[in-house]
């Protein structure tokens, strides 16, 4: 939707730029013709004020702490739905009817196995390889097995690749975990729901029957809903940029996984738990708060702060509730890490540094405590984030491919290097 224009003055000359309004949220000034009109670029490292695309998928109001998937509040989806329903919603734009949901579950379930030769990729890694390194490699390698779904111009192949990605991420994630702990791979069991299947592939052993705990399965399914999509975050922007060159979807998702791994992004859940373990007891919190505020100290409170949320991350609230649910179900009465986390949150939320900079807990602050209690090692936390975010990456990638105005992403720069100069032979150099 377009509306009025905005006028910029460059070299005393007015430049009219179209203003485009969205359904909700900030309007945008369309600068796509700015360089042609003025010979100048805009400059926005970190893209703090830049909209890279139009999207109908997810909306965040950072000031109000609102997160909508296709218009539905995250709180309602987490409360009433399941993860595959959220996948359907993100992919197709509407909540599924009962028949559509049954068909979608069936189609995803029928793609849960990976080619058995994928097992050989794992044996090349050391057992202590970080599972995220394994996931980057294995997801990228999927394109070697599925040449029949890498033609991105074919909507059917895009759909098949999407189903394959959503279905196989839990299997590969579970394989990465099993390889890490030195246990045999467990194949998917298709009479289980998506998240129960994943828990069984992670924690079942050939030596005995494994019964999925429905409370833990529901909690993890809800955690997947919370992580499913989040506008144009760093890893989603990576997937879009990789996809804009025509790269196959498996390679694009592998690029997204690599970006998510960073501690400033999806790696924060692993870093946040390590931080809580390092703090150890509530009496050491002031020392770490001081470090976080010290300009000369690179330390940051992991799981705190957000580029968009300048209010409490709505996912963190649901995450905190889920943490208590899981600890109660597991009979963990007093978790020292939770004591440190709750105390740290209370101190930080009153500290003027955090108040002034609007730093609140984000989704990564409580997730680690929950996942550790469920039995996952810290190194698996970001793998679980990637598992859940795959549907968001796929939905955003599909939206980008289907956008008629889509072209290869190619930002420009402000060059501050040497002006042109002539070659100097070695003999002439100082
Ligand atoms: C995710 O984008 C998404 O949507 C991401 C995500 C998703 O679902 O995809 O929500 C998932 O990545 C959540 C964020 C997880 N990361 C962390 O918890 C790591 C700790 N947080 C920070 O590194 C930081 O808050 C970021 C990276 C999350 C946001 O960085 P910004 O927007 O670039 O903010 P900034 O670094 O410019 O910080 C603004 C100010 C700075 O102080 P000044 O230079 O202005 O004096 O706040 C300070 C920062 O020093 N600050 C912190 C802090 N986060 C920001 N100080 C202490 N501890 C922190 N955690």
């Amino acid at each position: 939707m377009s509306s009025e224009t905005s006028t910029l003055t460059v070299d005393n000359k007015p430049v009219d730029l179209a203003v485009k309004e969205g359904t909700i949220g900030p309007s945008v000034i369309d600068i796509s013709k700015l360089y042609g009109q003025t010979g100048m670029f805009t400059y926005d490292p970190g893209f703090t004020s830049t909209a890279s695309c139009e999207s109908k998928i997810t909306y965040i109001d950072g000031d109000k702490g609102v997160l909508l998937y296709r218009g539905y509040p995250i709180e309602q989806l987490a409360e009433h739905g399941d993860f595959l329903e959220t996948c359907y919603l993100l992919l197709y734009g509407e909540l599924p009817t009962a028949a559509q949901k049954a068909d979608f579950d069936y189609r995803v379930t029928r793609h849960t196995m990976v080619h058995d030769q994928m097992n050989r990729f794992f044996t090349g890694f050391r057992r202590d390889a970080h599972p995220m390194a394994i996931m980057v490699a294995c997801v990228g390698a999927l394109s070697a097995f599925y040449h029949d779904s890498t033609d991105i111009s074919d909507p059917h192949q895009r759909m098949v690749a999407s189903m394959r990605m959503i279905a196989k991420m839990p299997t590969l994630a579970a394989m990465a975990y099993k390889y890490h702990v030195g246990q045999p791979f467990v194949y998917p069991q298709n009479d289980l729901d998506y998240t129960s299947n994943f828990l069984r592939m992670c924690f079942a052993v050939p030596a005995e029957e494994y019964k999925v705990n429905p409370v833990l399965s529901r909690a993890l399914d809800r955690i997947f809903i919370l992580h499913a999509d989040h506008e144009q975050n760093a890893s989603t922007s990576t997937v879009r940029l990789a996809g804009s060159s025509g790269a196959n979807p498996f390679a694009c998702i592998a690029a997204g996984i690599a970006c998510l791994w960073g501690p400033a992004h999806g790696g924060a859940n692993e870093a946040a738990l390590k931080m809580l373990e390092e703090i150890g007891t509530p009496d050491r919190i002031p020392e770490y708060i001081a470090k976080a505020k010290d300009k000369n100290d690179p330390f940051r409170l992991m799981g705190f702060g957000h580029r968009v949320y300048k209010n409490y991350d709505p996912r963190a609230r649901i995450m905190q509730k889920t943490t208590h649910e899981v600890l109660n179900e597991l009979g963990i009465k007093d978790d020292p890490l939770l004591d440190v986390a709750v105390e740290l949150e209370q101190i930080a939320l009153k500290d003027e540094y955090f108040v002034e900079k609007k730093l609140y807990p984000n989704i990564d602050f409580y997730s680690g405590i929950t996942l550790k209690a469920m039995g996952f090692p810290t190194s698996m936390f970001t793998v679980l984030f990637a598992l859940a975010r795959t549907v968001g990456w796929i939905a955003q990638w599909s939206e980008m491919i289907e956008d008629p105005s889509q072209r290869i992403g190619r930002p420009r720069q402000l060059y501050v290097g040497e002006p042109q100069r002539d070659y100097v032979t070695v003999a002439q150099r100082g």
Side-chain angles (χ1 to χ4, degrees), residues 182-196:
Q183 290 180 357
F185 296 142
V186 175
Y187 285 90
Q189 193 170 300
N190 289 344
D191 59 354
L192 293 173
D193 65 72
Y194 186 86
T195 302
S196 298

Side-chain angles (χ1 to χ4, degrees), residues 215-376:
V215 174
L216 299 187
S217 179
R218 175 72 192 116
L220 187 57
D221 194 79
R222 187 185 309 130
I223 291 170
F224 288 163
I225 292 172
L226 298 179
H227 287 81
D229 193 49
H230 214 236
E231 285 193 3
Q232 306 311 317
N233 58 82
S235 53
T236 297
S237 300
T238 299
V239 171
R240 278 180 172 260
L241 199 54
S244 74
S245 76
N248 76 70
F250 306 103
C252 295
I253 300 301
I257 296 172
C259 177
L260 185 75
W261 195 1
H265 189 14
N269 53 20
E270 177 177 353
L273 194 94
K274 285 183 177 154
M275 175 190 74
L276 293 174
E277 287 172 339
E278 188 186 321
I279 294 172
T281 50
D283 61 302
R284 296 189 65 203
I285 289 173
E287 172 196 339
Y288 282 84
I289 295 267
K291 281 170 63 71
K293 291 157 68 171
D294 179 357
K295 277 275 150 263
N296 302 317
D297 190 329
F299 173 79
R300 286 196 166 178
L301 279 189
M302 301 317 280
F304 260 79
H306 199 276
R307 170 62 57 77
V308 178
Y309 289 123
K310 300 307 170 191
N311 196 324
Y312 213 101
D313 181 337
R315 304 169 298 176
R317 278 196 206 293
I318 303 167
M319 197 69 241
Q320 191 185 34
K321 192 162 92 45
T322 304
T323 303
H324 289 293
E325 202 180 285
V326 166
L327 296 182
N328 290 341
E329 173 63 18
L330 294 170
I332 300 173
K333 291 283 169 273
D334 44 10
D335 179 334
L337 289 180
L338 182 64
D339 296 343
V340 173
V342 170
E343 180 70 11
L344 174 58
E345 177 188 353
Q346 280 161 11
I347 295 174
L349 292 184
K350 293 195 197 89
D351 184 291
E352 83 284 346
Y353 173 91
F354 293 88
V355 172
E356 182 248 323
K357 292 181 187 299
K358 298 183 178 175
L359 302 176
Y360 291 87
N362 59 50
I363 190 167
D364 295 308
F365 188 64
Y366 283 104
S367 57
I369 297 170
T370 317
L371 299 176
K372 180 171 189 279
M374 286 183 163
F376 292 104

Side-chain angles (χ1 to χ4, degrees), residues 36-49:
Q37 291 170 310
T38 67
M40 294 175 88
F41 299 139
T42 58
Y43 183 66
D44 183 15
F47 310 119
T48 50
S49 307

Side-chain angles (χ1 to χ4, degrees), residues 26-308:
S27 298
V28 297
I29 298 172
D30 183 343
I31 57 162
S32 48
K33 297 190 173 49
L34 183 74
Y35 178 58
Q37 291 170 310
T38 67
M40 294 175 88
F41 299 139
T42 58
Y43 183 66
D44 183 15
F47 310 119
T48 50
S49 307
T50 295
S52 60
C53 62
E54 280 189 10
S55 181
K56 298 176 179 168
I57 300 172
T58 296
Y59 175 73
I60 301 169
D61 182 326
D63 293 328
K64 295 193 188 117
V66 167
L67 169 58
L68 308 177
Y69 288 167
R70 299 284 188 175
Y72 294 98
I74 189 69
E75 295 82 356
Q76 295 179 25
L77 292 168
E79 177 77 27
H80 302 297
D82 67 26
F83 178 63
L84 282 189
E85 177 187 74
T86 291
C87 289
Y88 185 99
L89 174 66
L90 290 170
L91 288 170
Y92 299 109
E94 297 297 338
L95 288 169
T97 61
Q100 288 166 334
K101 177 69 167 52
D103 169 62
F104 186 75
D105 287 5
Y106 178 83
R107 285 189 290 138
V108 171
T109 306
R110 285 299 160 298
H111 282 287
T112 48
M113 286 178 71
V114 294
H115 193 294
D116 228 34
Q117 283 182 217
M118 282 298 291
N119 297 2
R120 293 199 200 154
F121 279 90
F122 288 83
T123 51
F125 293 105
R126 286 172 28 163
R127 290 282 182 175
D128 62 353
H130 195 291
M132 280 297 278
I134 295 177
M135 292 301 288
V136 171
C138 289
V139 170
L142 282 178
S143 50
F145 292 89
Y146 298 117
H147 296 293
D148 64 341
S149 64
T150 52
D151 174 358
I152 60 159
S153 64
D154 176 351
H156 177 72
Q157 290 195 36
R158 290 204 302 270
M159 184 278 292
V160 171
S162 304
M163 291 295 113
R164 281 175 165 156
M165 266 314 341
I166 293 164
K168 296 179 194 308
M169 278 298 276
T171 308
L172 290 172
M175 290 169 79
Y177 170 64
K178 283 305 204 187
Y179 189 74
H180 191 62
V181 295
Q183 290 180 357
F185 296 142
V186 175
Y187 285 90
Q189 193 170 300
N190 289 344
D191 59 354
L192 293 173
D193 65 72
Y194 186 86
T195 302
S196 298
N197 210 351
F198 172 65
L199 282 172
R200 182 180 167 280
M201 288 190 281
C202 288
F203 297 120
V205 288
E208 57 193 44
E209 210 36 50
Y210 177 78
K211 203 171 164 337
V212 177
N213 178 323
V215 174
L216 299 187
S217 179
R218 175 72 192 116
L220 187 57
D221 194 79
R222 187 185 309 130
I223 291 170
F224 288 163
I225 292 172
L226 298 179
H227 287 81
D229 193 49
H230 214 236
E231 285 193 3
Q232 306 311 317
N233 58 82
S235 53
T236 297
S237 300
T238 299
V239 171
R240 278 180 172 260
L241 199 54
S244 74
S245 76
N248 76 70
F250 306 103
C252 295
I253 300 301
I257 296 172
C259 177
L260 185 75
W261 195 1
H265 189 14
N269 53 20
E270 177 177 353
L273 194 94
K274 285 183 177 154
M275 175 190 74
L276 293 174
E277 287 172 339
E278 188 186 321
I279 294 172
T281 50
D283 61 302
R284 296 189 65 203
I285 289 173
E287 172 196 339
Y288 282 84
I289 295 267
K291 281 170 63 71
K293 291 157 68 171
D294 179 357
K295 277 275 150 263
N296 302 317
D297 190 329
F299 173 79
R300 286 196 166 178
L301 279 189
M302 301 317 280
F304 260 79
H306 199 276
R307 170 62 57 77
V308 178

